[in-house]
Amino acid sequence: MTAIAQRYRDRADAFQRRIEGTGDGQWHRPSPCEGWSALDVVGHVVDMHEAMLRPLGRTLGPAPAAADDPLAAFLSARADVEAVLADPALAAAPCDTPAGTVSAERHIDEVLSDDIVLHCWDLAKATGQDADLDPGDAAALWARVNAVPAETMERLRTPGAFGEGVEVYGPEVGVPGEASLQDRLLGALGRDPGWSPGHGG
């Protein structure tokens, strides 16, 4: 297994645990993503899996909709992406993306895999679960965020800049200078580290 495939697996495992830890009555609780419920977060992550397959001419396999069975939908989408990462030819296939042409595995690593880390926090906060990010993931995302040129980050914060209805990051949220790396990362990506369902939804 490649390092990219292992990283995706570890992050998908963490997200899957948050899905499994969500009670039936919690799916419609608000999430830190404005206007999204906990169920919407899973639906978005499943949709992002399909977005990784589309440049390869592939689609998600048959599965229940996330709105009907969030766990089954995620497990099926996960299997589809892991099949790409396990196939050297597919993993190396070129994908045209808004950021240029990259390999399929790099596209998955830098877009989907990173996205899962952030949405794992969203789902955990919405449902009262452990919201601590893996320290290695937090450090890796912090380094990647700080390497993004200012003009590109501005586009990432502009709704619709990468397609109709697409909003990558919200406005930066200020955090104290002594804040943890996780909180600084969340603030940089448009999340309020102190968010809770009672005041942020």
Side-chain angles (χ1 to χ4, degrees):
M1 180 179 294
T2 67
I4 285 176
Q6 185 64 58
R7 184 158 47 244
Y8 169 82
R9 174 173 290 185
D10 291 343
R11 293 171 176 181
D13 282 347
F15 192 73
Q16 181 177 327
R17 287 195 295 272
R18 300 317 190 281
I19 294 176
E20 292 168 341
T22 299
D24 290 341
Q26 295 183 307
W27 284 113
H28 295 290
R29 294 180 68 176
S31 81
C33 302
E34 187 174 354
W36 283 8
S37 67
L39 186 58
D40 292 328
V41 171
V42 178
H44 166 76
V45 170
V46 170
D47 289 345
M48 286 298 296
H49 281 69
E50 183 165 33
M52 298 299 101
L53 301 175
R54 202 173 298 130
L56 299 170
R58 298 165 74 92
T59 60
L60 295 177
D68 297 327
D69 190 334
L71 179 58
F74 176 72
L75 289 175
S76 181
R78 173 182 179 170
D80 293 334
V81 164
E82 290 189 315
V84 171
L85 293 175
D87 184 321
L90 282 174
C95 291
D96 292 327
T97 78
T101 301
V102 298
S103 68
E105 67 173 0
R106 180 177 170 189
H107 192 207
I108 291 167
D109 192 41
E110 296 183 0
V111 178
L112 175 61
S113 190
D114 282 1
D115 202 43
I116 288 175
V117 175
L118 185 59
H119 290 307
C120 192
W121 183 84
D122 291 328
L123 185 56
K125 292 292 283 187
T127 58
Q129 300 184 64
D130 177 13
D132 288 341
L133 301 181
D134 177 273
D137 285 342
L141 266 65
W142 179 249
R144 187 165 290 173
V145 166
N146 280 281
V148 175
E151 61 272 17
T152 302
M153 182 57 77
E154 184 175 350
R155 286 191 68 206
L156 291 168
R157 295 191 194 284
T158 303
F162 289 93
E164 185 177 354
V166 176
E167 183 173 351
V168 182
Y169 301 137
E172 184 172 6
V173 175
V175 298
E178 68 277 11
S180 67
L181 177 62
Q182 173 170 313
D183 285 359
R184 282 180 282 145
L185 172 67
L186 292 167
L189 298 181
R191 299 294 196 276
D192 175 2
W195 185 94
S196 69
H199 81 269

